[in-house]
Amino acid sequence: MTRPTVDPTRLALLGVRQSRILSPLVAVVLLLAACGPAPSNSSSGGNPTSSNPTSASPASSGPSGTLTVGLSADAESMDPYRVYQNAGFSIMYAIFDTLVTIGPDGTLGPGLADSWSSPDSTTLELKLHPGVTFQDGEPFDAAAVRFSLDRIADIDPTTNKPYPVGDSRRLNSAFASNYGSLDSVEVVDGLTVRLHLNRADSGLLGNLGTLQMVPPQYFAQVGNAGFALKPVGTGPFKFVEWVKDDHVTLAANPDYWKSPRGKALVAKVVFRPIPDTATRISELTTGGIQIMEDLPPDQASQVKAAGDRVVYLSDAHSLAIWLTTDKGGNLAQNPGDQATAITALANPAVRRALNMAIDRKTLVSTILDGYGEPMNSLWVSGDKGYDASLPPIAFDPAGAKAILAQQGYPNGFSVNMDTCTCDNSAIYEAVVGMLANIGVQVTLKPAELAQFNDAWSKGDTNPLRAARLGFPVDPNTELYLWIYSGGFLSRYKDAQVDALVNQQAGLPADDYGPARVAILRQIAVLAQQDPPAIFLVGQGSLYGTVGTGLSWQPNVQGYISVTNVSYAP
């Protein structure tokens, strides 16, 4: 039986970008300063290593103290399969574990799976770590792996077939598309699980690194709704309380297994959603929080002046404005005053002109205060498909105006752009001014995260959609969401690109070498010629932390780790 792709009723606004992977395999999961045993299979990668720019020696005794983290948004849910942005991921990876892990430097290592092997291109067998229990005492075993994979793919475990559309048991997670190659899950024994695929899948092992394991017995008691309010995992911290839009409280798990990820060093973690940047900075500088997410570069000096620290992770995520190029979505049925824009954006020459209007170097030097890089196509530094030799996109507003005139838009056109209030709007406001210089009048349509996600999930979007994409587990995540013609968020269609996407995705799960990189770079060349987006900048992660007493480091995945983190004020 073939597993389903995602049901188009949930948004995958993924705040994850491919990490800088040093192993031939790719996975994304949070891991700080882990020192686990080497796996028995060489495919399982090496042991994670790290360096700590804000290091203080952690106490050798048991967990103590409270760590408070200021997030830019609240989690959408406490169900890890329905969380789609970094703020929520920070919480999820404290409660849950995954089968494989990635260290801060991108090195692949074991997790709940000690090792794995591929006897052929369509089989992946995993050996699980013995003696692990969920936080409610339920054992973690191969049955839990099968249940977790069935659940993410909306498979009825009693029939091994998909739940019908409209069935209340469907989860409709946007992550389901990551497991489209999975045909069946075989429980070989209590600690061995064998995945049978319908095709080779170069991204599968990496995607398993983001799949948090959930307990089947507990879930049978509480269902989707109950689990989304009171989650249970195998992770280093246990869920205590969620007061929506105020705080999430976690407590150290006293029975946590000897995970390669490390352990809880603080007794309690409080995550506080603080959407307003100024308030988040104030809380940091006055001691209300110890780590703040999403520090705007132009306000870094304020944090330093208060005696706190600015921590920058140079691995970049991308800021781009995705375009409706195929007249797709609900907008096509009722375009209203956006009809001219929709027609214009279907023209590749117009899309090239929009890209020529952007002064990326100025965006980096002014708005980002040097914390970033100009994008030259789909990928940014750290991505496997990134090619520094690809020529930059020319900044040529006069040439852009001439192209618009040649294509029948001598006076430009007007267009709406969706943005999220969780992002720093300064860069998008600067882009509005640059596009106005070539006659394209852009009206920003900001929305809170929940509303923003809901509109995208229903296809009720404007022709321009601003997105900050960070650290996908594998290039396939971005490609199949945004570029592939059948992608969940795609409003782009190119037969040559589709063929290349499928070609690189069909390479074996342990093949992340020159052949795949070459295809990814070819896709980048085509995306520059026929742009699916207005490519803006690659921006590293910037955090504020207290000046003393904190042992913490950023991670390439972009969310905030609280594992192996100590705080002694």
Side-chain angles (χ1 to χ4, degrees):
M1 125 353 242
T2 300
R3 297 269 167 152
T5 55
V6 64
D7 182 62
T9 56
R10 288 293 299 169
L11 171 69
L13 182 59
L14 298 180
V16 287
R17 182 181 67 83
Q18 170 208 345
S19 60
R20 186 169 297 186
I21 302 299
L22 304 182
S23 161
L25 299 171
V26 183
V28 167
V29 71
L30 184 60
L31 178 61
L32 281 170
C35 299
S40 60
N41 186 300
S42 61
S43 296
S44 300
N47 290 322
T49 58
S50 66
S51 59
N52 194 334
T54 58
S55 176
S57 297
S60 58
S61 59
S64 62
T66 298
L67 175 72
T68 306
V69 178
L71 301 175
S72 59
D74 199 3
E76 301 98 317
S77 171
M78 289 295 109
D79 186 332
Y81 300 174
R82 282 185 162 175
V83 172
Y84 304 122
Q85 39 83 28
N86 281 341
F89 294 152
S90 299
I91 301 168
M92 295 301 104
Y93 281 104
I95 300 173
F96 298 92
D97 289 313
T98 54
L99 293 168
V100 294
T101 57
I102 288 292
D105 64 354
T107 305
L108 183 67
L112 287 168
D114 285 333
S115 64
W116 47 86
S117 60
S118 295
D120 56 64
S121 64
T122 57
T123 307
L124 181 65
E125 184 170 290
L126 301 104
K127 296 291 186 179
L128 307 180
H129 191 80
V132 178
T133 61
F134 287 97
Q135 294 151 359
D136 63 348
E138 181 179 336
F140 167 76
D141 55 16
V145 175
R146 176 174 179 173
F147 174 78
S148 298
L149 286 164
D150 282 344
R151 182 168 184 258
I152 194 70
D154 281 323
I155 299 297
D156 184 342
T158 61
T159 65
N160 202 36
K161 295 180 180 180
Y163 291 119
V165 174
D167 192 307
S168 62
R169 293 171 295 178
R170 287 183 66 93
L171 185 65
N172 291 327
S173 171
F175 292 120
S177 59
N178 288 343
Y179 307 95
S181 66
L182 190 57
D183 190 63
S184 64
V185 182
E186 177 187 356
V187 174
V188 179
D189 57 46
L191 294 176
T192 307
V193 63
R194 190 175 295 147
L195 309 185
H196 298 281
L197 313 182
N198 53 54
R199 58 174 171 80
D201 184 350
S202 60
L204 177 61
L205 187 60
N207 286 324
L208 292 178
T210 66
L211 184 68
Q212 291 92 346
M213 295 292 103
V214 297
Q217 296 174 28
Y218 172 70
F219 184 85
Q221 299 171 18
V222 300
N224 283 336
F227 197 80
L229 295 174
K230 190 176 181 180
V232 170
T234 65
F237 290 90
K238 300 175 68 172
F239 175 81
V240 175
E241 180 182 48
W242 180 25
V243 178
K244 190 166 177 57
D245 296 322
D246 188 82
H247 69 272
V248 174
T249 300
L250 309 180
N253 179 6
D255 302 316
Y256 190 50
W257 61 289
K258 293 183 179 179
S259 165
R261 296 177 60 194
K263 59 184 180 180
L265 298 180
V266 291
K268 183 168 71 172
V269 177
V270 179
F271 292 96
R272 294 177 53 196
I274 309 173
D276 181 70
T277 301
T279 304
R280 218 158 54 245
I281 292 176
S282 175
E283 287 292 314
L284 177 70
T285 58
T286 58
I289 60 176
Q290 288 77 57
I291 305 172
M292 74 162 286
E293 183 183 40
D294 289 343
L295 173 63
D298 60 352
Q299 297 179 50
S301 58
Q302 179 182 345
V303 170
K304 293 178 180 178
D308 294 308
R309 294 184 177 181
V310 172
V311 181
Y312 178 61
L313 182 65
S314 59
D315 290 71
H317 50 244
S318 60
L319 278 74
I321 299 170
W322 296 87
L323 307 172
T324 296
T325 71
D326 64 351
K327 302 183 181 181
N330 291 348
L331 195 60
Q333 307 302 318
N334 185 26
D337 61 359
Q338 300 298 288
T340 299
I342 292 172
T343 300
L345 293 171
N347 185 333
V350 170
R351 302 198 297 272
R352 287 194 295 271
L354 298 180
N355 273 279
M356 291 165 60
I358 307 303
D359 185 354
R360 295 165 182 81
K361 290 183 178 180
T362 294
L363 292 178
V364 171
S365 63
T366 57
I367 306 298
L368 300 185
D369 201 24
Y371 292 108
E373 64 186 58
M375 289 183 72
N376 64 1
S377 188
L378 283 174
W379 314 117
V380 294
S381 58
D383 284 334
K384 286 296 183 182
Y386 177 69
D387 184 358
S389 68
L390 186 66
I393 300 171
F395 171 52
D396 183 5
K401 289 185 70 173
I403 290 174
L404 290 181
Q406 292 167 3
Q407 301 302 317
Y409 304 97
N411 300 315
F413 54 88
S414 298
V415 62
N416 294 335
M417 181 167 80
D418 292 328
T419 65
C420 180
T421 55
C422 58
D423 285 339
N424 183 359
S425 63
I427 198 162
Y428 300 130
E429 291 167 354
V431 168
V432 168
M434 294 173 184
L435 292 173
N437 290 334
I438 65 169
V440 177
Q441 306 299 322
V442 178
T443 301
L444 298 181
K445 298 292 184 178
E448 296 292 332
L449 180 63
Q451 179 185 355
F452 185 75
N453 283 0
D454 186 60
W456 281 21
S457 69
K458 296 175 180 176
D460 296 331
T461 60
N462 282 299
L464 273 57
R465 299 166 290 157
R468 177 179 55 164
L469 304 182
F471 314 108
V473 57
D474 185 87
N476 288 338
T477 299
E478 185 169 342
L479 291 170
Y480 281 110
L481 278 175
W482 296 93
I483 310 300
Y484 193 71
S485 60
F488 185 52
L489 300 179
S490 176
R491 294 293 181 266
Y492 178 78
K493 186 173 184 178
D494 184 292
Q496 188 176 359
V497 170
D498 281 357
L500 290 170
V501 169
N502 287 332
Q503 182 182 348
Q504 59 84 39
L507 294 173
D510 60 351
D511 185 352
Y512 209 61
R516 191 176 184 206
V517 170
I519 297 173
L520 293 172
R521 290 183 173 184
Q522 189 176 354
I523 293 172
V525 171
L526 294 175
Q528 197 182 76
Q529 298 168 355
D530 184 5
I534 303 173
F535 302 113
L536 301 179
V537 296
Q539 179 184 359
S541 299
L542 197 62
Y543 308 88
T545 70
V546 292
T548 58
L550 178 69
S551 172
W552 178 80
Q553 69 176 103
N555 185 278
V556 291
Q557 282 76 45
Y559 48 87
I560 293 174
S561 172
V562 293
T563 307
N564 279 2
V565 178
S566 64
Y567 175 58

